[in-house]
PDB file of all heavy atoms in Angstrom:
ATOM      1  N   SER A   7      94.672 111.243 157.863  1.00  0.00           N
ATOM      2  CA  SER A   7      95.879 111.335 156.993  1.00  0.00           C
ATOM      3  C   SER A   7      95.529 112.213 155.816  1.00  0.00           C
ATOM      4  O   SER A   7      94.336 112.269 155.398  1.00  0.00           O
ATOM      5  CB  SER A   7      96.267 109.919 156.572  1.00  0.00           C
ATOM      6  OG  SER A   7      95.134 109.259 155.984  1.00  0.00           O
ATOM      7  N   LYS A   8      96.508 112.880 155.296  1.00  0.00           N
ATOM      8  CA  LYS A   8      96.323 113.757 154.109  1.00  0.00           C
ATOM      9  C   LYS A   8      96.023 112.834 152.951  1.00  0.00           C
ATOM     10  O   LYS A   8      96.334 111.668 152.937  1.00  0.00           O
ATOM     11  CB  LYS A   8      97.611 114.537 153.825  1.00  0.00           C
ATOM     12  CG  LYS A   8      97.649 115.919 154.493  1.00  0.00           C
ATOM     13  CD  LYS A   8      96.968 116.971 153.576  1.00  0.00           C
ATOM     14  CE  LYS A   8      96.477 118.163 154.379  1.00  0.00           C
ATOM     15  NZ  LYS A   8      97.414 119.218 154.683  1.00  0.00           N
ATOM     16  N   ARG A  10      93.325 110.973 150.223  1.00  0.00           N
ATOM     17  CA  ARG A  10      91.912 110.592 150.016  1.00  0.00           C
ATOM     18  C   ARG A  10      91.123 110.538 151.331  1.00  0.00           C
ATOM     19  O   ARG A  10      89.964 110.911 151.348  1.00  0.00           O
ATOM     20  CB  ARG A  10      91.784 109.303 149.223  1.00  0.00           C
ATOM     21  CG  ARG A  10      92.349 108.081 149.890  1.00  0.00           C
ATOM     22  CD  ARG A  10      92.524 106.960 148.875  1.00  0.00           C
ATOM     23  NE  ARG A  10      93.924 106.782 148.581  1.00  0.00           N
ATOM     24  CZ  ARG A  10      94.430 106.545 147.431  1.00  0.00           C
ATOM     25  NH1 ARG A  10      93.661 106.457 146.409  1.00  0.00           N
ATOM     26  NH2 ARG A  10      95.748 106.388 147.259  1.00  0.00           N
ATOM     27  N   ILE A  11      91.759 110.119 152.427  1.00  0.00           N
ATOM     28  CA  ILE A  11      91.007 110.048 153.682  1.00  0.00           C
ATOM     29  C   ILE A  11      90.586 111.429 154.110  1.00  0.00           C
ATOM     30  O   ILE A  11      89.442 111.687 154.479  1.00  0.00           O
ATOM     31  CB  ILE A  11      91.841 109.359 154.806  1.00  0.00           C
ATOM     32  CG1 ILE A  11      92.170 107.904 154.384  1.00  0.00           C
ATOM     33  CG2 ILE A  11      91.157 109.487 156.174  1.00  0.00           C
ATOM     34  CD1 ILE A  11      91.430 106.838 155.056  1.00  0.00           C
ATOM     35  N   ARG A  51     100.481 110.288 159.313  1.00  0.00           N
ATOM     36  CA  ARG A  51     100.630 109.251 158.296  1.00  0.00           C
ATOM     37  C   ARG A  51      99.462 108.222 158.434  1.00  0.00           C
ATOM     38  O   ARG A  51      99.113 107.881 159.563  1.00  0.00           O
ATOM     39  CB  ARG A  51     101.978 108.592 158.531  1.00  0.00           C
ATOM     40  CG  ARG A  51     102.552 107.790 157.432  1.00  0.00           C
ATOM     41  CD  ARG A  51     102.955 108.619 156.266  1.00  0.00           C
ATOM     42  NE  ARG A  51     103.195 107.676 155.181  1.00  0.00           N
ATOM     43  CZ  ARG A  51     104.398 107.259 154.788  1.00  0.00           C
ATOM     44  NH1 ARG A  51     105.480 107.696 155.406  1.00  0.00           N
ATOM     45  NH2 ARG A  51     104.508 106.353 153.787  1.00  0.00           N
ATOM     46  N   ALA A  52      98.934 107.731 157.303  1.00  0.00           N
ATOM     47  CA  ALA A  52      97.783 106.812 157.376  1.00  0.00           C
ATOM     48  C   ALA A  52      98.001 105.706 158.311  1.00  0.00           C
ATOM     49  O   ALA A  52      97.151 105.345 159.172  1.00  0.00           O
ATOM     50  CB  ALA A  52      97.428 106.318 155.985  1.00  0.00           C
ATOM     51  N   GLY A  70      91.690 103.236 157.191  1.00  0.00           N
ATOM     52  CA  GLY A  70      91.252 102.170 156.326  1.00  0.00           C
ATOM     53  C   GLY A  70      91.218 100.838 157.033  1.00  0.00           C
ATOM     54  O   GLY A  70      92.033 100.615 157.968  1.00  0.00           O
ATOM     55  N   ASP A  72      92.216  98.150 155.958  1.00  0.00           N
ATOM     56  CA  ASP A  72      93.533  97.513 155.703  1.00  0.00           C
ATOM     57  C   ASP A  72      94.518  97.892 156.789  1.00  0.00           C
ATOM     58  O   ASP A  72      95.218  97.044 157.374  1.00  0.00           O
ATOM     59  CB  ASP A  72      94.055  97.922 154.325  1.00  0.00           C
ATOM     60  CG  ASP A  72      94.010  99.425 154.061  1.00  0.00           C
ATOM     61  OD1 ASP A  72      93.152 100.115 154.664  1.00  0.00           O
ATOM     62  OD2 ASP A  72      94.847  99.935 153.290  1.00  0.00           O
ATOM     63  N   VAL A  73      94.539  99.180 157.119  1.00  0.00           N
ATOM     64  CA  VAL A  73      95.470  99.675 158.149  1.00  0.00           C
ATOM     65  C   VAL A  73      95.095  99.093 159.505  1.00  0.00           C
ATOM     66  O   VAL A  73      95.992  98.681 160.298  1.00  0.00           O
ATOM     67  CB  VAL A  73      95.422 101.224 158.178  1.00  0.00           C
ATOM     68  CG1 VAL A  73      96.147 101.780 159.377  1.00  0.00           C
ATOM     69  CG2 VAL A  73      95.993 101.803 156.866  1.00  0.00           C
ATOM     70  N   ALA A  91      86.821 106.162 150.844  1.00  0.00           N
ATOM     71  CA  ALA A  91      88.161 105.652 150.488  1.00  0.00           C
ATOM     72  C   ALA A  91      88.051 104.134 150.205  1.00  0.00           C
ATOM     73  O   ALA A  91      88.839 103.330 150.666  1.00  0.00           O
ATOM     74  CB  ALA A  91      89.156 105.943 151.567  1.00  0.00           C
ATOM     75  N   ARG A  92      87.007 103.785 149.437  1.00  0.00           N
ATOM     76  CA  ARG A  92      86.733 102.362 149.135  1.00  0.00           C
ATOM     77  C   ARG A  92      87.801 101.776 148.220  1.00  0.00           C
ATOM     78  O   ARG A  92      88.199 102.457 147.261  1.00  0.00           O
ATOM     79  CB  ARG A  92      85.387 102.193 148.500  1.00  0.00           C
ATOM     80  CG  ARG A  92      84.249 102.349 149.436  1.00  0.00           C
ATOM     81  CD  ARG A  92      82.945 102.156 148.666  1.00  0.00           C
ATOM     82  NE  ARG A  92      81.800 102.549 149.465  1.00  0.00           N
ATOM     83  CZ  ARG A  92      81.168 101.755 150.282  1.00  0.00           C
ATOM     84  NH1 ARG A  92      81.592 100.502 150.494  1.00  0.00           N
ATOM     85  NH2 ARG A  92      80.150 102.242 150.974  1.00  0.00           N
ATOM     86  N   CYS A  93      88.189 100.594 148.495  1.00  0.00           N
ATOM     87  CA  CYS A  93      89.121  99.866 147.605  1.00  0.00           C
ATOM     88  C   CYS A  93      89.028  98.385 147.952  1.00  0.00           C
ATOM     89  O   CYS A  93      88.165  98.016 148.761  1.00  0.00           O
ATOM     90  CB  CYS A  93      90.521 100.411 147.757  1.00  0.00           C
ATOM     91  SG  CYS A  93      91.174 100.371 149.467  1.00  0.00           S
ATOM     92  N   LYS A 120     103.017  95.433 151.481  1.00  0.00           N
ATOM     93  CA  LYS A 120     103.048  96.216 152.683  1.00  0.00           C
ATOM     94  C   LYS A 120     102.162  95.588 153.730  1.00  0.00           C
ATOM     95  O   LYS A 120     102.258  95.861 154.937  1.00  0.00           O
ATOM     96  CB  LYS A 120     102.478  97.611 152.304  1.00  0.00           C
ATOM     97  CG  LYS A 120     102.307  98.609 153.296  1.00  0.00           C
ATOM     98  CD  LYS A 120     102.202 100.011 152.635  1.00  0.00           C
ATOM     99  CE  LYS A 120     100.827 100.627 152.798  1.00  0.00           C
ATOM    100  NZ  LYS A 120     100.707 101.968 152.201  1.00  0.00           N
ATOM    101  N   GLU A 146     103.758  97.574 142.941  1.00  0.00           N
ATOM    102  CA  GLU A 146     103.525  97.176 141.535  1.00  0.00           C
ATOM    103  C   GLU A 146     104.829  96.933 140.798  1.00  0.00           C
ATOM    104  O   GLU A 146     104.861  96.221 139.818  1.00  0.00           O
ATOM    105  CB  GLU A 146     102.757  98.275 140.810  1.00  0.00           C
ATOM    106  CG  GLU A 146     101.314  98.469 141.278  1.00  0.00           C
ATOM    107  CD  GLU A 146     101.150  99.498 142.413  1.00  0.00           C
ATOM    108  OE1 GLU A 146     102.206  99.895 143.013  1.00  0.00           O
ATOM    109  OE2 GLU A 146     100.019  99.795 142.810  1.00  0.00           O
ATOM    110  N   ASP A 159      98.172  94.062 147.323  1.00  0.00           N
ATOM    111  CA  ASP A 159      98.066  95.534 147.411  1.00  0.00           C
ATOM    112  C   ASP A 159      96.662  95.962 147.353  1.00  0.00           C
ATOM    113  O   ASP A 159      95.795  95.164 146.909  1.00  0.00           O
ATOM    114  CB  ASP A 159      98.893  96.192 146.309  1.00  0.00           C
ATOM    115  CG  ASP A 159      99.093  97.682 146.530  1.00  0.00           C
ATOM    116  OD1 ASP A 159      98.812  98.184 147.674  1.00  0.00           O
ATOM    117  OD2 ASP A 159      99.560  98.384 145.614  1.00  0.00           O
ATOM    118  N   VAL A 160      96.364  97.169 147.725  1.00  0.00           N
ATOM    119  CA  VAL A 160      95.015  97.691 147.571  1.00  0.00           C
ATOM    120  C   VAL A 160      94.874  98.306 146.130  1.00  0.00           C
ATOM    121  O   VAL A 160      95.819  98.860 145.609  1.00  0.00           O
ATOM    122  CB  VAL A 160      94.595  98.711 148.623  1.00  0.00           C
ATOM    123  CG1 VAL A 160      94.722  98.119 150.015  1.00  0.00           C
ATOM    124  CG2 VAL A 160      95.388  99.966 148.546  1.00  0.00           C
ATOM    125  N   VAL A 161      93.670  98.071 145.640  1.00  0.00           N
ATOM    126  CA  VAL A 161      93.352  98.508 144.252  1.00  0.00           C
ATOM    127  C   VAL A 161      92.070  99.264 144.298  1.00  0.00           C
ATOM    128  O   VAL A 161      91.169  98.872 144.974  1.00  0.00           O
ATOM    129  CB  VAL A 161      93.174  97.240 143.345  1.00  0.00           C
ATOM    130  CG1 VAL A 161      92.752  97.625 141.918  1.00  0.00           C
ATOM    131  CG2 VAL A 161      94.466  96.426 143.281  1.00  0.00           C
ATOM    132  N   SER A 162      92.029 100.406 143.592  1.00  0.00           N
ATOM    133  CA  SER A 162      90.671 101.026 143.497  1.00  0.00           C
ATOM    134  C   SER A 162      90.183 101.062 142.049  1.00  0.00           C
ATOM    135  O   SER A 162      89.354 100.245 141.675  1.00  0.00           O
ATOM    136  CB  SER A 162      90.596 102.376 144.214  1.00  0.00           C
ATOM    137  OG  SER A 162      91.674 103.194 143.842  1.00  0.00           O
ATOM    138  N   SER A 163      90.766 101.899 141.191  1.00  0.00           N
ATOM    139  CA  SER A 163      90.307 101.885 139.781  1.00  0.00           C
ATOM    140  C   SER A 163      90.921 100.723 139.010  1.00  0.00           C
ATOM    141  O   SER A 163      90.387 100.320 137.972  1.00  0.00           O
ATOM    142  CB  SER A 163      90.712 103.224 139.155  1.00  0.00           C
ATOM    143  OG  SER A 163      92.097 103.259 139.015  1.00  0.00           O
ATOM    144  N   GLY A 164      92.062 100.220 139.435  1.00  0.00           N
ATOM    145  CA  GLY A 164      92.766  99.188 138.664  1.00  0.00           C
ATOM    146  C   GLY A 164      93.729  99.774 137.650  1.00  0.00           C
ATOM    147  O   GLY A 164      94.458  99.125 136.959  1.00  0.00           O
ATOM    148  N   GLY A 165      93.726 101.102 137.555  1.00  0.00           N
ATOM    149  CA  GLY A 165      94.546 101.802 136.556  1.00  0.00           C
ATOM    150  C   GLY A 165      96.058 101.576 136.717  1.00  0.00           C
ATOM    151  O   GLY A 165      96.792 101.408 135.749  1.00  0.00           O
ATOM    152  N   THR A 166      96.514 101.543 137.990  1.00  0.00           N
ATOM    153  CA  THR A 166      97.953 101.362 138.258  1.00  0.00           C
ATOM    154  C   THR A 166      98.387  99.977 137.800  1.00  0.00           C
ATOM    155  O   THR A 166      99.427  99.736 137.231  1.00  0.00           O
ATOM    156  CB  THR A 166      98.269 101.634 139.719  1.00  0.00           C
ATOM    157  OG1 THR A 166      97.776 102.924 140.075  1.00  0.00           O
ATOM    158  CG2 THR A 166      99.762 101.587 139.954  1.00  0.00           C
ATOM    159  N   ILE A 181      87.407  97.000 151.274  1.00  0.00           N
ATOM    160  CA  ILE A 181      87.932  97.954 152.271  1.00  0.00           C
ATOM    161  C   ILE A 181      87.209  99.264 152.199  1.00  0.00           C
ATOM    162  O   ILE A 181      86.898  99.727 151.070  1.00  0.00           O
ATOM    163  CB  ILE A 181      89.459  98.160 152.000  1.00  0.00           C
ATOM    164  CG1 ILE A 181      90.217  96.875 152.356  1.00  0.00           C
ATOM    165  CG2 ILE A 181      90.018  99.348 152.821  1.00  0.00           C
ATOM    166  CD1 ILE A 181      91.685  96.869 151.883  1.00  0.00           C
TER     167      ILE A 181
HETATM  168  O1  PRT B 301     100.680 107.142 150.827  1.00  0.00           O
HETATM  169  P1  PRT B 301     101.288 106.879 152.180  1.00  0.00           P
HETATM  170  O2  PRT B 301     102.401 105.878 152.123  1.00  0.00           O
HETATM  171  O3  PRT B 301     101.530 108.068 153.012  1.00  0.00           O
HETATM  172  O4  PRT B 301     100.147 106.086 153.013  1.00  0.00           O
HETATM  173  P2  PRT B 301      99.013 105.258 152.470  1.00  0.00           P
HETATM  174  O5  PRT B 301      99.266 104.741 151.067  1.00  0.00           O
HETATM  175  O6  PRT B 301      98.657 104.236 153.504  1.00  0.00           O
HETATM  176  O7  PRT B 301      97.885 106.388 152.486  1.00  0.00           O
HETATM  177  P3  PRT B 301      96.844 106.756 151.362  1.00  0.00           P
HETATM  178  O8  PRT B 301      96.340 108.109 151.702  1.00  0.00           O
HETATM  179  O9  PRT B 301      97.419 106.522 149.990  1.00  0.00           O
HETATM  180  O10 PRT B 301      95.712 105.683 151.579  1.00  0.00           O
HETATM  181  C1  PRT B 301      94.917 105.746 152.790  1.00  0.00           C
HETATM  182  C2  PRT B 301      93.857 104.629 152.699  1.00  0.00           C
HETATM  183  O11 PRT B 301      93.075 104.836 151.529  1.00  0.00           O
HETATM  184  C3  PRT B 301      94.390 103.227 152.538  1.00  0.00           C
HETATM  185  O12 PRT B 301      94.744 102.700 153.819  1.00  0.00           O
HETATM  186  C4  PRT B 301      93.179 102.521 151.958  1.00  0.00           C
HETATM  187  O13 PRT B 301      92.324 102.083 152.951  1.00  0.00           O
HETATM  188  C5  PRT B 301      92.447 103.614 151.151  1.00  0.00           C
HETATM  189  N1  PRT B 301      92.632 103.552 149.647  1.00  0.00           N
HETATM  190  C6  PRT B 301      91.564 103.612 148.814  1.00  0.00           C
HETATM  191  C7  PRT B 301      93.716 103.411 148.963  1.00  0.00           C
HETATM  192  C8  PRT B 301      93.329 103.354 147.600  1.00  0.00           C
HETATM  193  N2  PRT B 301      91.981 103.512 147.547  1.00  0.00           N
HETATM  194  C9  PRT B 301      94.344 103.197 146.571  1.00  0.00           C
HETATM  195  N3  PRT B 301      94.012 103.126 145.382  1.00  0.00           N
HETATM  196  N4  PRT B 301      95.048 103.356 149.309  1.00  0.00           N
HETATM  197  C10 PRT B 301      95.965 103.227 148.364  1.00  0.00           C
HETATM  198  N5  PRT B 301      95.662 103.136 147.001  1.00  0.00           N
HETATM  199  C11 PRT B 301      96.850 103.010 146.096  1.00  0.00           C
HETATM  200  C12 PRT B 301      97.027 101.631 145.544  1.00  0.00           C
HETATM  201  O14 PRT B 301      97.894 100.922 146.398  1.00  0.00           O
HETATM  202  C13 PRT B 301      97.692 101.807 144.182  1.00  0.00           C
HETATM  203  O15 PRT B 301      99.114 101.764 144.301  1.00  0.00           O
HETATM  204  O16 PRT B 301      96.669 103.838 144.977  1.00  0.00           O
HETATM  205  C14 PRT B 301      97.308 103.269 143.846  1.00  0.00           C
HETATM  206  C15 PRT B 301      96.401 103.413 142.663  1.00  0.00           C
HETATM  207  O17 PRT B 301      95.216 102.710 142.741  1.00  0.00           O
HETATM  208  P4  PRT B 301      94.312 102.484 141.385  1.00  0.00           P
HETATM  209  O18 PRT B 301      93.809 101.070 141.482  1.00  0.00           O
HETATM  210  O19 PRT B 301      93.174 103.463 141.480  1.00  0.00           O
HETATM  211  O20 PRT B 301      95.193 102.749 140.202  1.00  0.00           O
END
Side-chain angles (χ1 to χ4, degrees):
S7 54
K8 268 275 156 83
R10 63 196 108 221
I11 298 256
R51 197 68 195 260
D72 50 332
V73 169
R92 285 180 192 273
C93 55
K120 174 162 115 178
E146 294 90 351
D159 193 10
V160 303
V161 175
S162 48
S163 66
T166 306
I181 291 169

